[in-house]
Amino acid sequence: MIQVKLFDREHEKDLEKEMNRFLRGIDEKSLLDIKYNVAAMPEEEEEEQIYCFTAMIIYKA
């Protein structure tokens, strides 16, 4: 069966750590694909931007 695991973090290093932790738990042969996206939005009333780092791991269970 094909499954997905979704990840959503504000910092890229947090996303990396969580994804690596998950990948250690699955067989390398079951990994089908990884999708990655970054979104940046201006924070209202401040001069900073909010970042959203997301990823989806597609694998066979």
Coordinates of all heavy atoms in Angstrom, one line a residue:
M1 N 0.8 -1.2 0.0 CA 0.0 0.0 0.0 C 0.9 1.2 0.0 O 1.9 1.3 0.7 CB -0.9 0.0 1.2 CG -1.7 1.3 1.3 SD -2.8 1.6 2.8 CE -2.8 0.1 3.7
I2 N 0.6 2.2 -0.8 CA 1.3 3.5 -0.9 C 0.7 4.5 0.2 O -0.5 4.6 0.3 CB 1.2 4.1 -2.3 CG1 1.9 3.2 -3.3 CG2 1.9 5.5 -2.3 CD1 1.9 3.7 -4.7
Q3 N 1.6 5.1 1.0 CA 1.2 6.0 2.0 C 2.0 7.3 1.9 O 3.1 7.3 1.2 CB 1.4 5.4 3.4 CG 0.5 4.2 3.6 CD 0.5 3.8 5.1 OE1 1.2 4.3 5.9 NE2 -0.4 2.9 5.4
V4 N 1.6 8.3 2.6 CA 2.3 9.6 2.6 C 2.5 10.0 4.1 O 1.7 9.6 5.0 CB 1.6 10.7 1.9 CG1 1.5 10.4 0.4 CG2 0.2 11.0 2.5
K5 N 3.5 10.7 4.3 CA 3.8 11.3 5.6 C 4.1 12.8 5.4 O 4.9 13.2 4.6 CB 5.0 10.7 6.3 CG 5.4 11.3 7.6 CD 4.5 11.1 8.7 CE 5.0 11.6 10.0 NZ 4.1 11.6 11.1
L6 N 3.3 13.7 6.0 CA 3.4 15.1 5.8 C 4.2 15.8 7.0 O 4.0 15.4 8.1 CB 2.0 15.8 5.7 CG 1.1 15.2 4.7 CD1 -0.3 15.8 4.7 CD2 1.7 15.4 3.3
F7 N 5.0 16.8 6.7 CA 5.8 17.5 7.6 C 5.6 19.0 7.4 O 5.5 19.5 6.3 CB 7.3 17.2 7.5 CG 7.6 15.8 7.6 CD1 7.5 14.9 6.5 CD2 7.9 15.2 8.8 CE1 7.8 13.6 6.7 CE2 8.2 13.9 9.0 CZ 8.2 13.1 7.9
D8 N 5.5 19.8 8.5 CA 5.3 21.2 8.4 C 6.0 21.9 9.6 O 5.6 21.7 10.7 CB 3.8 21.5 8.4 CG 3.5 23.0 8.4 OD1 4.3 23.8 7.9 OD2 2.3 23.4 8.8
R9 N 7.0 22.7 9.3 CA 7.8 23.4 10.3 C 8.1 24.8 9.9 O 8.1 25.1 8.7 CB 9.1 22.6 10.5 CG 9.0 21.3 11.1 CD 8.5 21.4 12.6 NE 8.1 20.1 13.1 CZ 6.9 19.7 13.3 NH1 5.9 20.5 13.0 NH2 6.6 18.5 13.9
E10 N 8.4 25.6 10.9 CA 8.8 27.0 10.7 C 10.3 27.2 10.4 O 10.7 28.2 9.8 CB 8.4 27.9 11.9 CG 6.9 28.0 12.1 CD 6.5 28.9 13.2 OE1 7.4 29.8 13.6 OE2 5.4 28.8 13.7
H11 N 11.1 26.2 10.7 CA 12.5 26.3 10.5 C 13.0 25.1 9.7 O 12.6 23.9 10.0 CB 13.3 26.4 11.8 CG 12.8 27.5 12.7 ND1 13.2 28.8 12.4 CD2 12.0 27.6 13.8 CE1 12.7 29.6 13.3 NE2 12.0 28.9 14.1
E12 N 13.8 25.3 8.8 CA 14.3 24.2 7.9 C 15.1 23.2 8.6 O 14.9 22.0 8.3 CB 15.1 24.8 6.7 CG 16.4 25.4 7.0 CD 16.4 26.9 7.4 OE1 15.3 27.4 7.7 OE2 17.4 27.5 7.3
K13 N 15.8 23.5 9.6 CA 16.6 22.5 10.4 C 15.6 21.6 11.2 O 15.9 20.4 11.3 CB 17.6 23.2 11.4 CG 18.7 23.8 10.6 CD 19.6 22.8 10.0 CE 20.8 23.4 9.3 NZ 21.6 22.4 8.6
D14 N 14.5 22.1 11.7 CA 13.5 21.3 12.4 C 12.9 20.3 11.4 O 12.6 19.2 11.8 CB 12.4 22.2 13.0 CG 13.0 23.1 14.2 OD1 14.0 22.7 14.7 OD2 12.4 24.1 14.5
L15 N 12.6 20.8 10.2 CA 12.0 19.9 9.2 C 13.0 18.8 8.9 O 12.6 17.6 8.8 CB 11.7 20.7 7.9 CG 11.1 19.9 6.8 CD1 9.7 19.4 7.2 CD2 11.0 20.8 5.5
E16 N 14.2 19.2 8.7 CA 15.3 18.2 8.4 C 15.4 17.1 9.4 O 15.4 15.9 9.1 CB 16.6 18.9 8.2 CG 17.8 18.0 7.9 CD 19.1 18.8 7.8 OE1 19.1 20.0 7.7 OE2 20.1 18.1 7.8
K17 N 15.4 17.5 10.7 CA 15.5 16.6 11.8 C 14.4 15.6 11.8 O 14.5 14.4 12.0 CB 15.7 17.3 13.1 CG 17.0 18.0 13.3 CD 17.0 18.7 14.7 CE 18.3 19.5 14.8 NZ 18.2 20.3 16.1
E18 N 13.2 16.2 11.7 CA 12.0 15.3 11.8 C 11.9 14.3 10.6 O 11.5 13.2 10.8 CB 10.7 16.2 11.8 CG 9.5 15.4 12.1 CD 8.2 16.2 12.2 OE1 8.3 17.5 12.3 OE2 7.1 15.6 12.3
M19 N 12.2 14.8 9.4 CA 12.2 13.9 8.2 C 13.3 12.8 8.4 O 13.0 11.7 8.1 CB 12.4 14.7 7.0 CG 11.3 15.6 6.6 SD 11.6 16.6 5.1 CE 11.6 15.2 3.9
N20 N 14.5 13.2 8.8 CA 15.5 12.1 9.0 C 15.1 11.1 10.0 O 15.4 9.9 9.9 CB 16.8 12.8 9.4 CG 17.5 13.4 8.2 OD1 17.3 13.0 7.0 ND2 18.3 14.5 8.4
R21 N 14.5 11.6 11.1 CA 14.0 10.6 12.1 C 13.0 9.7 11.5 O 13.0 8.4 11.8 CB 13.3 11.4 13.3 CG 13.1 10.6 14.5 CD 12.6 11.5 15.7 NE 13.3 12.7 15.9 CZ 12.8 13.9 15.9 NH1 11.5 14.1 15.7 NH2 13.5 15.0 16.0
F22 N 12.0 10.2 10.7 CA 11.0 9.3 10.1 C 11.7 8.3 9.1 O 11.4 7.1 9.1 CB 10.0 10.1 9.4 CG 9.0 9.3 8.6 CD1 7.9 8.7 9.3 CD2 9.1 9.1 7.3 CE1 7.0 7.9 8.6 CE2 8.2 8.4 6.6 CZ 7.1 7.7 7.3
L23 N 12.6 8.9 8.3 CA 13.3 8.0 7.2 C 14.1 6.9 7.8 O 14.2 5.8 7.2 CB 14.1 8.9 6.3 CG 13.4 9.8 5.4 CD1 14.3 10.8 4.7 CD2 12.6 9.0 4.3
R24 N 14.7 7.1 9.0 CA 15.4 6.0 9.7 C 14.5 4.8 10.0 O 15.0 3.7 10.1 CB 16.0 6.5 11.0 CG 17.3 7.3 10.8 CD 18.1 7.4 12.1 NE 17.4 8.3 13.0 CZ 17.5 9.6 13.1 NH1 18.3 10.3 12.2 NH2 16.9 10.3 14.0
G25 N 13.2 5.1 10.1 CA 12.2 4.0 10.5 C 11.6 3.3 9.3 O 10.9 2.3 9.6
I26 N 12.0 3.6 8.1 CA 11.4 2.9 7.0 C 12.5 2.3 6.1 O 13.7 2.8 6.2 CB 10.5 3.8 6.1 CG1 11.3 4.9 5.4 CG2 9.3 4.4 6.8 CD1 10.5 5.6 4.3
D27 N 12.2 1.3 5.4 CA 13.2 0.6 4.5 C 13.5 1.5 3.4 O 12.6 2.1 2.8 CB 12.6 -0.7 4.1 CG 13.6 -1.5 3.3 OD1 14.7 -1.0 2.9 OD2 13.3 -2.7 3.0
E28 N 14.8 1.7 3.0 CA 15.2 2.5 1.9 C 14.5 2.2 0.6 O 14.2 3.0 -0.2 CB 16.7 2.5 1.8 CG 17.3 3.4 0.8 CD 18.8 3.4 0.7 OE1 19.4 3.2 1.8 OE2 19.3 3.5 -0.4
K29 N 14.3 0.9 0.4 CA 13.6 0.4 -0.8 C 12.2 0.8 -0.9 O 11.6 0.8 -2.0 CB 13.7 -1.1 -0.9 CG 15.2 -1.6 -1.1 CD 15.2 -3.1 -1.1 CE 16.7 -3.6 -1.1 NZ 16.8 -5.0 -1.0
S30 N 11.5 1.2 0.2 CA 10.1 1.5 0.2 C 9.9 3.0 -0.1 O 8.8 3.4 -0.4 CB 9.5 1.2 1.5 OG 10.0 2.0 2.6
L31 N 11.0 3.8 -0.1 CA 10.9 5.2 -0.4 C 10.6 5.4 -1.9 O 11.4 5.0 -2.7 CB 12.2 6.0 0.0 CG 12.2 7.5 -0.3 CD1 11.2 8.2 0.5 CD2 13.6 8.0 0.0
L32 N 9.5 6.1 -2.2 CA 9.2 6.4 -3.6 C 9.5 7.8 -4.0 O 10.1 8.0 -5.1 CB 7.7 6.2 -3.8 CG 7.2 4.8 -3.5 CD1 5.7 4.7 -3.7 CD2 7.9 3.8 -4.4
D33 N 9.3 8.8 -3.2 CA 9.5 10.2 -3.6 C 9.4 11.1 -2.4 O 8.8 10.8 -1.3 CB 8.4 10.6 -4.6 CG 8.9 11.8 -5.4 OD1 10.0 12.4 -5.2 OD2 8.1 12.3 -6.3
I34 N 10.0 12.3 -2.5 CA 9.9 13.3 -1.5 C 9.6 14.6 -2.2 O 10.3 15.0 -3.2 CB 11.3 13.5 -0.7 CG1 11.6 12.2 0.1 CG2 11.2 14.7 0.2 CD1 12.9 12.3 0.8
K35 N 8.6 15.3 -1.8 CA 8.2 16.6 -2.3 C 8.5 17.7 -1.2 O 8.3 17.4 0.0 CB 6.7 16.7 -2.6 CG 6.2 15.6 -3.5 CD 6.8 15.7 -4.9 CE 6.2 14.7 -5.8 NZ 6.7 14.7 -7.1
Y36 N 9.0 18.8 -1.7 CA 9.4 19.9 -0.7 C 8.9 21.2 -1.2 O 8.8 21.5 -2.4 CB 10.9 19.8 -0.7 CG 11.5 20.9 0.2 CD1 11.5 20.8 1.5 CD2 12.2 22.0 -0.4 CE1 12.1 21.8 2.3 CE2 12.8 23.0 0.3 CZ 12.7 22.9 1.7 OH 13.3 23.9 2.5
N37 N 8.5 22.1 -0.2 CA 8.0 23.4 -0.6 C 8.4 24.4 0.5 O 8.4 24.0 1.7 CB 6.5 23.4 -0.8 CG 6.0 24.6 -1.4 OD1 6.5 25.1 -2.4 ND2 4.9 25.2 -0.8
V38 N 8.6 25.6 0.1 CA 8.8 26.7 1.0 C 7.9 27.9 0.7 O 7.8 28.2 -0.5 CB 10.3 27.3 1.0 CG1 10.5 28.4 1.9 CG2 11.3 26.1 1.2
A39 N 7.2 28.4 1.7 CA 6.4 29.6 1.5 C 6.8 30.7 2.5 O 7.2 30.4 3.6 CB 4.9 29.2 1.8
A40 N 6.9 31.9 2.0 CA 7.3 33.0 2.8 C 6.1 34.1 2.7 O 5.7 34.4 1.6 CB 8.6 33.6 2.3
M41 N 5.7 34.5 3.9 CA 4.6 35.5 4.0 C 5.1 36.7 4.9 O 5.7 36.4 5.9 CB 3.4 34.9 4.5 CG 2.9 33.7 3.7 SD 1.9 32.6 4.7 CE 3.2 31.6 5.4
P42 N 4.8 37.9 4.5 CA 5.1 39.0 5.4 C 4.2 38.9 6.7 O 3.0 38.6 6.6 CB 4.8 40.2 4.6 CG 3.9 39.8 3.5 CD 4.1 38.3 3.3
E43 N 4.8 39.2 7.8 CA 4.1 39.2 9.0 C 3.4 40.6 9.2 O 4.1 41.6 9.0 CB 5.0 38.9 10.2 CG 4.2 38.7 11.5 CD 5.2 38.2 12.6 OE1 6.3 37.8 12.3 OE2 4.7 38.1 13.7
E44 N 2.1 40.6 9.5 CA 1.4 41.8 9.6 C 2.0 42.7 10.7 O 2.3 42.2 11.8 CB -0.1 41.6 9.9 CG -0.8 40.9 8.7 CD -2.2 40.7 8.9 OE1 -2.8 41.5 9.6 OE2 -2.8 39.8 8.3
E45 N 2.1 44.0 10.5 CA 2.5 45.0 11.5 C 4.0 44.8 11.9 O 4.4 45.5 12.8 CB 1.6 44.9 12.7 CG 0.1 45.2 12.4 CD -0.7 45.2 13.7 OE1 -0.2 45.2 14.8 OE2 -1.9 45.1 13.5
E46 N 4.7 43.9 11.3 CA 6.1 43.8 11.5 C 6.9 43.7 10.2 O 6.3 43.5 9.2 CB 6.4 42.6 12.4 CG 5.8 42.7 13.8 CD 6.3 41.6 14.7 OE1 7.4 41.0 14.4 OE2 5.6 41.2 15.6
E47 N 8.2 43.9 10.3 CA 9.0 43.9 9.1 C 9.6 42.6 8.8 O 10.4 42.4 7.9 CB 10.0 45.0 9.1 CG 9.4 46.4 9.2 CD 10.5 47.5 9.3 OE1 11.7 47.2 9.2 OE2 10.1 48.6 9.6
E48 N 9.2 41.5 9.5 CA 9.7 40.2 9.3 C 8.9 39.4 8.4 O 7.7 39.7 8.2 CB 9.9 39.5 10.7 CG 10.8 40.1 11.6 CD 11.0 39.4 12.9 OE1 10.8 38.1 12.9 OE2 11.4 40.0 13.9
Q49 N 9.4 38.3 7.9 CA 8.7 37.3 7.1 C 8.5 36.0 7.9 O 9.3 35.7 8.7 CB 9.4 37.0 5.8 CG 9.3 38.1 4.8 CD 9.8 37.6 3.5 OE1 10.6 36.7 3.4 NE2 9.4 38.3 2.4
I50 N 7.4 35.4 7.7 CA 7.1 34.1 8.3 C 7.4 33.0 7.2 O 6.9 33.2 6.1 CB 5.6 34.0 8.7 CG1 5.3 35.0 9.8 CG2 5.3 32.5 9.2 CD1 3.8 35.1 10.2
Y51 N 8.2 32.0 7.6 CA 8.5 31.0 6.6 C 7.8 29.7 7.0 O 7.6 29.4 8.2 CB 10.0 30.7 6.6 CG 10.8 31.8 5.9 CD1 11.3 32.9 6.7 CD2 11.0 31.8 4.5 CE1 12.0 33.9 6.0 CE2 11.7 32.8 3.9 CZ 12.2 33.9 4.7 OH 12.9 34.9 4.1
C52 N 7.4 28.9 6.0 CA 6.7 27.7 6.3 C 7.4 26.6 5.4 O 7.4 26.7 4.1 CB 5.2 27.7 5.9 SG 4.4 26.2 6.2
F53 N 8.1 25.7 6.0 CA 8.8 24.6 5.3 C 8.0 23.4 5.4 O 7.7 22.9 6.5 CB 10.2 24.4 5.9 CG 11.1 25.6 5.8 CD1 11.1 26.6 6.8 CD2 11.9 25.8 4.7 CE1 11.9 27.7 6.7 CE2 12.7 26.9 4.6 CZ 12.7 27.9 5.6
T54 N 7.6 22.8 4.2 CA 6.7 21.6 4.2 C 7.4 20.6 3.3 O 8.1 20.9 2.4 CB 5.3 21.9 3.7 OG1 5.4 22.5 2.4 CG2 4.6 22.9 4.6
A55 N 7.0 19.3 3.6 CA 7.5 18.2 2.8 C 6.5 17.1 2.9 O 5.8 16.9 3.9 CB 8.9 17.8 3.3
M56 N 6.6 16.2 1.9 CA 5.7 15.0 1.9 C 6.6 13.9 1.4 O 7.3 13.9 0.4 CB 4.6 15.2 0.9 CG 3.7 13.9 0.8 SD 2.2 14.2 -0.2 CE 2.9 14.5 -1.8
I57 N 6.6 12.8 2.2 CA 7.4 11.6 1.9 C 6.3 10.6 1.4 O 5.4 10.3 2.1 CB 8.2 11.1 3.1 CG1 9.2 12.1 3.5 CG2 8.8 9.7 2.8 CD1 10.0 11.7 4.7
I58 N 6.6 10.1 0.2 CA 5.7 9.0 -0.4 C 6.5 7.7 -0.3 O 7.6 7.6 -0.8 CB 5.3 9.4 -1.8 CG1 4.7 10.8 -1.9 CG2 4.4 8.3 -2.4 CD1 4.6 11.4 -3.3
Y59 N 5.8 6.7 0.3 CA 6.5 5.4 0.5 C 5.5 4.3 0.5 O 4.3 4.5 0.6 CB 7.3 5.5 1.9 CG 6.4 5.6 3.1 CD1 6.1 4.4 3.8 CD2 5.8 6.8 3.4 CE1 5.2 4.5 4.9 CE2 4.9 6.9 4.6 CZ 4.7 5.7 5.3 OH 3.8 5.8 6.4
K60 N 6.1 3.1 0.3 CA 5.3 1.8 0.4 C 5.3 1.3 1.8 O 6.4 1.2 2.4 CB 5.8 0.8 -0.6 CG 5.6 1.1 -2.0 CD 6.1 0.0 -2.9 CE 5.8 0.3 -4.4 NZ 6.3 -0.8 -5.2
A61 N 4.2 1.0 2.3 CA 4.1 0.5 3.7 C 4.1 -1.1 3.6 O 3.8 -1.7 2.7 CB 2.8 0.9 4.3

